[in-house]
C-alpha cells in the first residue's frame, strides 16, 4: 500500500509568520493507525522523537493511505523553521504547493 504521510509545520513569530504542508510517500505493508507515534530521520530531535498519527484516510480503490500527523508549531524557534523544513526535505519530504491543497 502507498502510504502518504502529511505534516503541517508552522512558525508563529510576529515578524515572519510561516507555514508549510509537507508530504512523504512510500510503500509499506504496515498501515499506521490513529495514536501511533511515527519516527523519521527528518524529524529534528530537538523538537520531537516522533509524531502522533491524528487521522488516517484509506482509499482501497487506489491502494493508498493518507496519514495526517500532529502539526508542529514553532513558538520560540530554537531552530529556524526554514532549517527544519530543509532537514525534512533532505530526508524525502516535499512541500505541497498551496494550489494543490485547495482540492
Amino acid at each position: 500500500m502507498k502510504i502518504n504521510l502529511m505534516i503541517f509545520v508552522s512558525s508563529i513569530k510576529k515578524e515572519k509568520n510561516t507555514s508549510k504542508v509537507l508530504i512523504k510517500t512510500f510503500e509499506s505493508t504496515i498501515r499506521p493507525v490513529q495514536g501511533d507515534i511515527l519516527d523519521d530521520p527528518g524529524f529534528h530531535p530537538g523538537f520531537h522523537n516522533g509524531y502522533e498519527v491524528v487521522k488516517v484516510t484509506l482509499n482501497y480503490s487506489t491502494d493508498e493511505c493518507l496519514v495526517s500527523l500532529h502539526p508542529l508549531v514553532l513558538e520560540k524557534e530554537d531552530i529556524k523553521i526554514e532549517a527544519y523544513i530543509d532537514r525534512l526535505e533532505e530526508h524525502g519530504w516535499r512541500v505541497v504547493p498551496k494550489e494543490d491543497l485547495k482540492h
Side-chain angles (χ1 to χ4, degrees):
M1 175 174 277
K2 185 188 291 184
I3 308 292
N4 299 295
L5 301 179
M6 185 174 286
I7 189 169
F8 178 77
V9 180
S10 179
S11 169
I12 56 175
K13 283 192 88 165
K14 292 178 186 175
E15 313 86 56
K16 187 176 167 186
N17 199 352
T18 304
S19 61
K20 300 283 183 190
V21 174
L22 290 100
I23 193 166
K24 184 174 186 177
T25 302
F26 57 93
E27 291 287 330
S28 179
T29 57
I30 301 170
R31 180 180 70 81
V33 296
Q34 187 175 1
D36 281 355
I37 304 295
L38 302 183
D39 192 16
D40 185 90
F43 300 158
H44 192 283
F47 290 98
H48 285 278
N49 59 359
Y51 284 88
E52 182 178 358
V53 174
V54 294
K55 183 178 176 183
V56 177
T57 304
L58 297 173
N59 185 330
Y60 288 108
S61 65
T62 61
D63 198 30
E64 288 185 288
C65 177
L66 178 62
V67 180
S68 297
L69 302 177
H70 194 276
L72 170 66
V73 179
L74 300 176
E75 295 174 358
K76 57 183 184 170
E77 283 203 26
D78 290 335
I79 181 174
K80 298 282 184 205
I81 189 170
E82 294 83 7
Y84 198 94
I85 291 170
D86 288 346
R87 180 184 172 101
L88 287 168
E89 289 179 319
E90 289 168 7
H91 289 90
W93 292 80
R94 62 181 173 80
V95 174
V96 179
K98 288 185 181 185
E99 52 274 1
D100 289 357
L101 296 173
K102 296 179 183 178
H103 297 206

